[in-house]
Amino acid sequence: MNQPANKNYARLCEHFQSISHFEHLGALGDWDQAAMMPVGGGEVRGAAMAELAKHIHSLKTATMLAPTIAEAELEELNWQQKANLREIRYQYQQANIVPGSLVEAKTKAAYRCEQAWREQRNQNDWQGFKPNLESVLALAKEEADIRAAALNISPYDALLDKFEPGMTSGRLEQIFGGLKSWLPGLIEQVQDKQKHQARYAIPHAASDAQALFSRDVMTLLGFDFNHGRLDTSSHPFCGGVASDVRLTTRYDEADFTSGLMGVVHETGHAKYEQGLPLDWRGQPAGLARSMAIHESQSLFCEMQLGRGSAFLALLQPKLKQRLDCNLSHDQLLNIYSRVTPGNIRVDADEVTYPCHILLRFEAEKALVSNQLAVSDLPDFWSAQMQSLLGINTDGDYKNGCMQDIHWAVGEMGYFPSYTLGAMYAAQFRVAMEQQLGSVETLIANGELSSVMGWLNDNIWSKGSLLTTDELALQATGETLNPAHFKQHLIQRFSA
């Protein structure tokens, strides 16, 4: 009997399709516990999710994978199949580094810490949160040490590699060092320029009205509600899978402007997920490229588009309709271009936002390398906030080192992706405008779909068929170039 061509590759595809089904359920479990699950369900859910994570890990480390991958590499594959095989090999190698028992323990600790964090953050309860964070961090460092030994890199680089393959702390220090050389001066310059500008009161807006307006904005951006939904949670996020994307946000009735841009940000993530290549759904090559590329899409929507004049002009009449808001277009533009240092990362303006990432990058490096103890994190945080943004956070843990969900769930090494993403977003805009003309003009002329089309053709539809450098090079003609981000901020805020 004749054997089918590329039988080993086909066997791998079938195996990873099965893995994707379990990961689908895991993603929905994560969404449910953040958006729907009652508090009392946390312990049992954590145990169930840990069991699921251990099972997925066992599938990714199955004994048949190594010889099957080796045989598949000898088969006649096209370039897309070779790319998928590359990603299969990467997932297999990454999973084999870490034992299943640690995967299970990390998942349980993350669920326990995150569930408690919700209430502890609201109560500014650092002493209650600290031991939970210490437990999560201990497991993250254990993983970092195991990965570092296997990959022959530093522990923190091993954590970075999970979110941004190939990125190193040395490269980040070079990129962020350049940022620190000019960003403080720009912040001071823009604040001086804006000090005499009028400030406008933001009207009260009920949460249910904001939720309706959020759906309007998501529809404007092309979100497919047949394959996704919007809910609320303690911390905004985008989860689920490409065919069933789950967004969450939070609403402040005293200030709708924060929730609005949060929705625009998460819709950027969602558009990327919904645009991933349909032919590669369920395969590693069909997944998003990296977290920096993912954040580039959310920040493109939030910062490049959402805070621009043309997009705000589209929103202004809808604000009047849904929120009975009488702010003019110019007043909205004033609000969203105001550079004001603040405590909260997700509410930060485009210019000061990188400072929040610089702080977290330094904190993560120090925590993972044992140069900073969890008990000393609040003092470290306050000193960095004072140095970077002139803000004193002493005693304000809720709006200081407890504000983000990332560390509560053990995601050490994720934060640099945000500023890398902002840099990629600026670079993508330059390339887009070279081909299509001004983004502002396109939106003003009712051609927002052209902007989204470029992103789909050059970013979303590529999935992980290309490496990060290949993706950037193909889309823009160069790999990551931070100079575009600097030029963007100068043009928007000080020109």
Side-chain angles (χ1 to χ4, degrees), residues 10-178:
R11 186 183 182 195
L12 292 171
C13 288
E14 182 179 0
H15 186 78
F16 275 81
Q17 183 71 61
S18 178
I19 290 172
S20 78
H21 293 321
F22 287 107
E23 290 179 331
H24 183 166
L25 295 177
L28 293 182
D30 284 337
W31 164 82
D32 178 74
Q33 73 88 22
M36 296 291 179
M37 188 188 74
V39 174
E43 184 175 350
V44 175
R45 176 62 60 80
M49 294 298 287
E51 185 74 22
L52 179 58
K54 186 171 70 170
H55 177 65
I56 292 171
H57 181 268
S58 71
L59 292 176
K60 288 186 177 181
T61 57
T63 54
M64 70 88 170
L65 285 175
T68 309
I69 290 171
E71 290 295 328
E73 288 175 337
L74 302 176
E75 295 175 339
E76 294 292 329
L77 306 178
N78 62 35
W79 76 268
Q80 291 177 313
Q81 292 170 327
K82 288 178 180 178
N84 192 41
L85 183 58
R86 179 196 67 220
E87 296 302 308
I88 287 172
R89 187 191 315 110
Y90 176 78
Q91 287 202 17
Y92 167 74
Q93 290 170 340
Q94 290 293 305
N96 264 279
I97 293 172
V98 182
S101 58
L102 179 56
V103 172
E104 183 179 19
K106 281 185 60 200
T107 306
K108 285 182 178 178
Y111 262 76
R112 184 167 53 249
C113 185
E114 192 273 340
Q115 282 285 305
W117 165 82
R118 299 188 204 182
E119 190 62 28
Q120 290 163 347
R121 179 175 185 263
N122 287 336
Q123 296 178 355
N124 199 42
D125 180 12
W126 167 251
Q127 291 305 318
F129 178 63
K130 181 168 70 72
N132 289 335
L133 180 59
E134 287 173 334
S135 297
V136 170
L137 178 61
L139 292 169
K141 291 198 298 189
E142 182 179 347
E143 178 187 10
D145 288 341
I146 292 171
R147 288 184 177 277
L151 300 172
N152 195 29
I153 56 179
S154 74
Y156 185 63
D157 284 357
L159 296 181
L160 286 175
D161 191 67
K162 291 172 56 182
F163 303 106
E164 195 61 23
M167 183 54 66
T168 66
S169 53
R171 175 68 175 136
L172 282 175
E173 284 162 1
Q174 180 184 17
I175 293 170
F176 290 168

Side-chain angles (χ1 to χ4, degrees), residues 251-324:
Y251 302 111
D252 181 351
E253 296 193 341
D255 182 0
F256 72 84
T257 63
S258 172
L260 169 56
M261 282 303 147
V263 167
V264 174
H265 180 100
E266 299 305 335
T267 304
H269 281 304
K271 288 288 291 179
Y272 186 15
E273 288 291 324
Q274 291 185 337
L276 289 170
L278 190 60
D279 291 345
W280 292 96
R281 295 275 169 91
Q283 294 299 311
L287 298 174
R289 176 58 266 168
S290 72
M291 288 320 304
I293 298 300
H294 227 310
E295 293 301 342
S296 78
Q297 299 310 286
S298 61
L299 291 169
F300 190 98
C301 277
E302 179 191 358
M303 301 298 189
Q304 297 288 335
L305 298 183
R307 295 173 186 254
S309 177
F311 190 79
L312 291 173
L314 295 181
L315 298 189
Q316 197 272 334
K318 294 180 182 291
L319 279 170
K320 173 64 177 175
Q321 175 190 356
R322 290 295 193 191
L323 306 185
D324 194 25

